[in-house]
Amino acid sequence: MQTTEPALAPALSDLRVLEMGQLLAGPFCGQLMADFGAEVIKIEQPGAGDPMREWGREKPHGQSLWWPVIARNKKSIEINAREAAGQDLIRRLVAQADILIENFRPGTMEKWGLGYDELSAINPRLIMIRVSGYGQSGPYSQKAGYGAIGEAMGGMRYVAGDPSNPPSRAGISIGDTLAATFACVGGLMALHARTRTGRGQIVDSAIYEAVLAVMENLVTEYDKTGYIRERTGAILPNIAPSNVYPTKSGVYVLIAANQDSVFKRLAAAMGRPELAADPRYATHTERGQRQAELDALIAAWTATLDREELGRILDEAGVPRGDIYRAPEMLEDAHFKARKTIVDVAHPLFGSLKMQNVAPRLSANPGRVVTAGPELGQHNDEIFRGLLGLGPDDLARLVADKVIGGSARDAA
């Protein structure tokens, strides 16, 4: 008889996370944890909720298509954190939580009596993840700082785009998601440390520092040589060939053949094997010094081939290449389908929504997308009654005082 191994629980399924953030910088951290099974309880303002519920360019049925992704796998409850009774409820939740995520302006949680000193006295094992524009300390810490500001100060905006244009953006909110990703990594590091110390700690993730962290050797280059990186469009200076090249089909293909052995294969695929032995192109350094002329040679060749034929030739030669995808190409790609890179998620209004799957992939305890973003207050009853054990009279009073969401009828 053939047997199968029992499915293991997702990697973070034994964690309870309170998410008090809003928009992207905090909630993306919560999404990453929820993707791997953590119980993420999102605390939202009664009646209003996270502004992300309203964001998005396209809004069929008046509903955000951003919210189902950023809030997937989470639970939603409504608590007014500005009210003393709401703060008391949050403290009761903290007593049973592993992690609290917030991305308010530094000092806000302290103003509400929910700073780390107060919360760690209730639960010494609590890990508090704090995401902000400038971090929790320093002269700029009290300034308002969105992701775009962090991208500018962290160096990304200056080098993004074409040199003929002003500093550009990446087309996504990369500063927010970088800070949230580093926050998640920091939170998991703090969890690991807690296994040794038994105590939690603060994870301080500043957006501008998260952006700077991925800027490679930008600062070190300037420190030792005085070189300032500039906008270079589709290329990295002196890394050649690595660019987008035209095809007969009218679309561009990205080819990355800057390593000596790979360039040799590209030259052979072009029917120009002599290029790899030519002293002008034989080494990484020489190719970098003649980047524009080499790109022109390659572009003249790629323009004679349609995309499919070019792709076949490069694949057979072992030359890295990639089509430049939009959403339609992603949905039709055989590799995306084979790996289930995009999944269908049930939604009460839309029926089904396609969205990106969980990353990275774990062989033993993988994450998965179970639910799309919840309705506002969808889990009020489960958390207030079930987890906190509040009775009908307590709930009715809190609803009447506008401390929690719902109606007196629902509370009864």
Side-chain angles (χ1 to χ4, degrees):
M1 178 183 294
Q2 190 175 26
T3 60
T4 57
E5 291 290 329
L8 296 176
L12 303 182
S13 59
D14 57 340
L15 294 181
R16 177 172 289 136
V17 178
L18 305 180
E19 182 189 296
M20 292 186 67
Q22 58 183 6
L23 299 175
L24 274 175
F28 187 69
C29 177
Q31 179 196 319
L32 293 174
M33 293 184 174
D35 279 351
F36 285 91
E39 180 188 28
V40 178
I41 302 172
K42 183 170 183 63
I43 299 172
E44 302 186 71
Q45 181 69 12
D50 191 324
M52 191 58 74
R53 291 179 176 275
E54 302 297 324
W55 279 36
R57 183 177 181 274
E58 301 295 326
K59 296 175 69 175
H61 305 287
Q63 299 293 311
S64 167
L65 291 175
W66 207 331
W67 176 256
V69 180
I70 192 68
R72 67 191 193 186
N73 295 333
K74 299 178 186 178
K75 297 176 179 179
S76 169
I77 63 173
E78 299 168 275
I79 299 178
N80 187 346
R82 295 169 176 80
E83 294 290 336
Q87 294 155 12
D88 287 339
L89 288 175
I90 292 170
R91 293 187 190 99
R92 292 180 62 177
L93 289 169
V94 161
Q96 303 182 62
D98 295 285
I99 294 172
L100 184 146
I101 302 169
E102 64 94 6
N103 66 306
F104 301 111
R105 190 180 300 191
T108 300
M109 295 290 285
E110 285 76 10
K111 181 178 66 176
W112 292 340
L114 300 173
Y116 189 70
D117 288 345
E118 293 86 352
L119 298 183
S120 63
I122 297 168
N123 180 359
R125 293 173 58 80
L126 180 73
I127 293 162
M128 189 174 193
I129 297 177
R130 314 194 74 170
V131 187
S132 61
Y134 300 99
Q136 300 298 310
S137 61
Y140 297 167
S141 62
Q142 299 302 308
K143 293 175 62 175
Y146 279 165
I149 309 304
E151 292 166 23
M153 286 191 63
M156 184 175 291
R157 288 294 180 103
Y158 186 77
V159 300
D162 189 87
S164 63
N165 293 320
S168 186
R169 65 173 294 152
I172 55 173
S173 302
I174 190 68
D176 286 317
T177 51
L178 279 174
T181 302
F182 277 105
C184 183
V185 171
L188 299 181
M189 290 176 180
L191 278 170
H192 181 71
R194 194 178 74 177
T195 64
R196 299 195 305 271
T197 67
R199 297 193 63 86
Q201 60 184 291
I202 297 171
V203 177
D204 180 359
S205 182
I207 297 174
Y208 84 98
E209 288 176 338
V211 173
L212 180 60
V214 300
M215 294 306 294
E216 302 168 350
N217 64 335
L218 179 144
V219 171
T220 310
E221 271 184 330
Y222 174 74
D223 176 49
K224 289 303 176 188
T225 71
Y227 175 73
I228 297 176
R229 288 198 191 185
E230 300 289 341
R231 291 180 291 287
T232 55
I235 65 166
L236 284 176
N238 302 321
I239 307 297
S242 183
N243 205 340
V244 293
Y245 300 94
T247 66
K248 191 176 180 180
S249 307
V251 297
Y252 283 84
V253 170
L254 194 147
I255 302 174
N258 46 290
Q259 189 176 345
D260 290 353
S261 59
V262 180
F263 178 67
K264 185 176 181 179
R265 296 198 295 269
L266 173 62
M270 293 170 63
R272 301 282 305 276
E274 72 278 4
L275 291 176
D278 189 320
R280 296 173 299 170
Y281 310 121
T283 68
H284 175 82
T285 300
E286 294 298 330
R287 288 194 300 276
Q289 292 176 353
R290 295 169 178 81
Q291 189 166 23
E293 66 183 66
L294 183 57
D295 278 342
L297 284 173
I298 297 169
W301 171 66
T302 62
T304 66
L305 301 166
D306 62 33
R307 184 187 67 179
E308 291 77 13
E309 178 67 5
L310 175 62
R312 183 189 62 77
I313 292 171
L314 294 173
D315 288 346
E316 290 178 354
V319 177
R321 61 92 187 179
D323 294 332
I324 298 173
Y325 279 3
R326 307 164 302 161
E329 290 78 28
M330 295 176 188
L331 291 173
E332 294 302 319
D333 185 272
H335 189 75
F336 277 58
K337 291 178 180 179
R339 285 178 57 85
K340 296 182 173 60
T341 302
I342 295 173
V343 293
D344 291 290
V345 182
H347 189 276
L349 180 61
F350 298 112
S352 179
L353 288 173
K354 294 186 183 298
M355 65 180 70
Q356 60 270 40
N357 206 344
V358 172
R361 298 176 184 236
L362 302 186
S363 61
N365 302 87
R368 62 193 181 103
V369 184
V370 180
T371 59
E375 295 296 312
L376 180 61
Q378 182 176 328
H379 300 90
N380 283 349
D381 188 71
E382 174 186 337
I383 302 303
F384 294 141
R385 290 181 187 267
L387 182 60
L388 297 186
L390 297 179
D393 291 343
D394 293 327
L395 290 171
R397 185 184 72 256
L398 291 168
V399 169
D401 292 342
K402 298 183 179 180
V403 173
I404 66 174
S407 66
R409 183 189 64 186
D410 295 333

